[in-house]
Amino acid sequence: MLDTTRIDTTIERGVDFIYRLGQKQKCFASYGTFLVCCFALLAATSRNPRLRSLGRNRAKEFLQRWTLLHPSLPADASSDLLFEFILIHYARRRLRLRDAVGRTALKRAARNFSASDLLGFDPVKEPPPNDLSYRCDCTFQNPRGRKVCKRCNCRLRIRSRYKVWMEALANTYVAETSGILFGARYADVLKWMPAMRPYPTGEDNEEVLRDAIYAVTHVVYTLNDYGTYRLSPRWLPREFAFLKANVKSACSRNDPEILGELLDSLQAFGLTVTHPLIEHGTKYLLAAQNDDGSWGDMSEGNIRTRCHTTWTAIDGLRAYSWRGERLSRPALKSGWSTSRN
Ligand SMILES: [Zn+2]
């Protein structure tokens, strides 16, 4: 039997770690927007009332700080900054607060960008591609198909098609909940699910496998409005099987970041702490918490990774107040249920 008091204490230590890190200027500047969302979702979807009010208070505090830094959307906002405003809009909605920047301004700003500008590809015309690179260390974003940076000649890291799909799913979904078209419709991104199967196995490249797991967890998050609804495994049998197949290896690879996402997604499919996989993963997370309350590599220099790993571990451990079994938008089901491959 798992000790629920111990789970609650472990979660609160994790939440405190993120809060302390977020108070640092450097962290807030780089990851503050996501931390507002982290706390807003904690407030909106946790079953534990203490965690709900803790999340709400911290979300509001960080939101105030965010608004001081970004009082209004600049006319020449980059696509990244526009997306941060959209995330804040979503967080405010989850907290049932009135919008600071109206969605009309966001809608108008989104029209300045094409699907390729925002998502790297146009989901109306093609599936998520395998030829987009990450931004170069010199900060230059190279055009598609480049293997070497145009500006500094460095070798570029290629984003897997799963990574590209995951970001497009999350970004178009969150924007659409505010009535904003972020380059393409969410349904046009989701419809490529059959083309993304079969998902990689443990024998494949580890980075691609991790990206595929993130992509599938984001299918879950966007279909269940980030921890709001339960999904039936019958709607997505292949995705359900893929997530289940990766729990034990995430533990043996010491990957709490992936494990956290696997556990909350599997809980969305109806597995509870009495299921052996959830129990196995929960025990791993309880044992793997660092002394400072975080999860993951304490020497990791990337502050966003430090926050995100702890965030997903918290989400993997916490219980949700599900609002029934349904899709975020029921009309979506016809988008993939007819495909048989
Ligand atoms: Zn470069």
Side-chain angles (χ1 to χ4, degrees), residues 29-154:
S30 141
Y31 206 62
T33 310
F34 292 89
L35 294 182
V36 172
C37 289
C38 167
F39 290 128
L41 288 170
L42 213 57
T45 64
S46 293
R47 197 194 297 162
N48 180 338
R50 210 178 123 85
L51 206 51
R52 290 176 85 96
S53 75
L54 190 70
R56 188 171 177 85
N57 292 338
R58 291 182 174 174
K60 283 168 83 175
E61 183 189 323
F62 277 12
L63 197 51
Q64 232 169 28
R65 211 168 131 202
W66 193 93
T67 311
L68 285 174
L69 287 173
H70 306 283
S72 64
L73 183 69
D76 60 349
S78 67
S79 55
D80 288 347
L81 183 60
L82 169 64
F83 187 62
E84 292 197 42
F85 271 87
I86 292 172
L87 282 174
I88 291 296
H89 199 271
Y90 179 72
R92 295 187 74 94
R93 209 171 54 82
R94 297 308 308 247
L95 293 164
R96 299 173 196 279
L97 298 173
R98 241 170 42 85
D99 337 340
V101 175
R103 63 186 187 135
T104 325
L106 301 180
K107 248 177 166 166
R108 204 179 312 124
R111 273 191 237 125
N112 293 333
F113 299 96
S114 67
S116 299
D117 296 334
L118 296 173
L119 311 171
F121 73 111
D122 185 352
V124 172
K125 299 186 185 135
E126 58 169 339
N130 245 336
D131 63 354
L132 284 161
S133 60
Y134 284 95
R135 191 180 289 280
C136 180
D137 288 341
C138 77
T139 74
F140 189 67
Q141 181 64 65
N142 284 272
R144 268 178 80 168
R146 295 278 315 186
K147 294 196 169 74
V148 172
C149 179
K150 232 176 165 172
R151 191 201 269 166
C152 75
N153 259 341
C154 271

Side-chain angles (χ1 to χ4, degrees), residues 3 7 21 95 115 181 191 198 215 220 291-292 332:
D3 176 351
I7 295 177
L21 203 56
L95 293 164
L181 184 75
K191 76 173 182 216
V220 172
D291 288 339
D292 63 0
L332 285 166

